[in-house]
């Protein structure tokens, strides 16, 4: 396994929300398992990683939607971009272009820590502020929250956090 395709779970990646942290740890494990796999097993593991990532992003998007965050918000867009590329890599790997899997893993290893520490950290904080419980996917006070004071995508790109 190349160090370029290895993620290490660390305290910096833990965001303090049990469900988010568990999902992120699973993602890290799947990236590493796919990178370490024998060539004949790599595509099946990549497909497992893709399926996990689809559900991982859908989970976060359910939470954002429940809190009134609009679907054109930057966090949704980043998820869509990542999944689009991952699906294209799967399509091409199925026709024999297996080297693209390693390239995708390298990109995920580079992308994930920054995404988790900025966008996902912002989301976890926002959910807590709104009283949204990720374990039950409900609001603690029983009332739905509306999106307020969301950071703009342009402010995220300049370094501040984004939900």
């Amino acid at each position: 396994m190349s160090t370029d395709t290895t993620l290490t779970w660390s305290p910096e990646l833990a965001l303090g929300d049990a469900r988010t942290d568990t999902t992120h740890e699973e993602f890290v494990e799947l990236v590493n398992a796919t990178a370490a796999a024998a060539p004949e097993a790599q595509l099946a593991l990549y497909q497992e990683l893709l399926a996990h990532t689809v559900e991982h992003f859908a989970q976060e998007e359910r939470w954002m939607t429940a809190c009134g965050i609009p679907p054109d918000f930057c966090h949704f867009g980043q998820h869509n971009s990542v999944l689009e590329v991952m699906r294209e890599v799967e399509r091409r790997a199925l026709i024999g272009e297996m080297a693209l899997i390693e390239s995708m893993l390298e990109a995920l290893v580079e992308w994930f820590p920054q995404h988790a520490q900025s966008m996902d950290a912002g989301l976890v904080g926002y959910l807590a502020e709104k009283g949204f419980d990720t374990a039950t996917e409900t609001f603690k006070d029983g009332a739905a929250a509306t999106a307020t004071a969301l950071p703009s995508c342009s402010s995220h790109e300049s370094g501040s956090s984004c939900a």
Side-chain angles (χ1 to χ4, degrees), residues 8-20:
T8 302
W9 183 255
S10 66
E12 292 79 30
L13 291 176
L15 301 178
D17 175 75
R19 191 155 178 209
T20 300

Side-chain angles (χ1 to χ4, degrees), residues 125-142:
Y126 189 77
L127 295 173
E129 175 187 317
K130 296 298 177 189
F132 188 82
D133 180 357
T134 61
T136 62
E137 296 194 9
T138 60
F139 291 92
K140 292 175 183 162
D141 64 6

Side-chain angles (χ1 to χ4, degrees), residues 2-136:
S2 158
T3 57
D4 293 335
T5 55
T6 302
L7 274 171
T8 302
W9 183 255
S10 66
E12 292 79 30
L13 291 176
L15 301 178
D17 175 75
R19 191 155 178 209
T20 300
D21 290 342
T22 297
T23 301
H24 284 180
E25 278 191 85
E26 291 167 351
F27 177 85
V28 166
E29 290 169 7
L30 283 166
V31 166
N32 293 338
T34 304
E40 63 275 6
Q42 196 170 44
L43 178 56
L45 281 167
Y46 180 79
Q47 289 173 314
E48 187 178 335
L49 171 62
L50 175 56
H52 177 273
T53 305
V54 166
E55 177 49 36
H56 169 179
F57 290 176
Q59 171 180 278
E60 290 179 7
E61 291 170 8
R62 281 192 312 273
W63 302 345
M64 288 188 282
T65 300
C67 286
I69 298 172
D72 63 348
F73 196 63
C74 57
H75 199 151
F76 288 92
Q78 195 165 104
H79 286 175
N80 289 335
S81 295
V82 169
L83 287 177
E84 183 179 324
V85 175
M86 288 184 77
R87 287 179 175 127
E88 179 63 12
V89 166
E90 177 192 35
R91 184 190 72 75
R92 292 178 60 183
L94 286 166
I95 60 171
E97 297 180 54
M98 293 294 294
L100 292 175
I101 291 176
E102 184 167 351
S103 296
M104 185 74 235
L105 295 172
E106 289 171 1
L108 290 171
V109 165
E110 182 179 336
W111 166 81
F112 179 72
Q114 184 275 330
H115 178 82
Q117 293 167 339
S118 62
M119 288 192 172
D120 289 344
L123 176 59
V124 165
Y126 189 77
L127 295 173
E129 175 187 317
K130 296 298 177 189
F132 188 82
D133 180 357
T134 61
T136 62

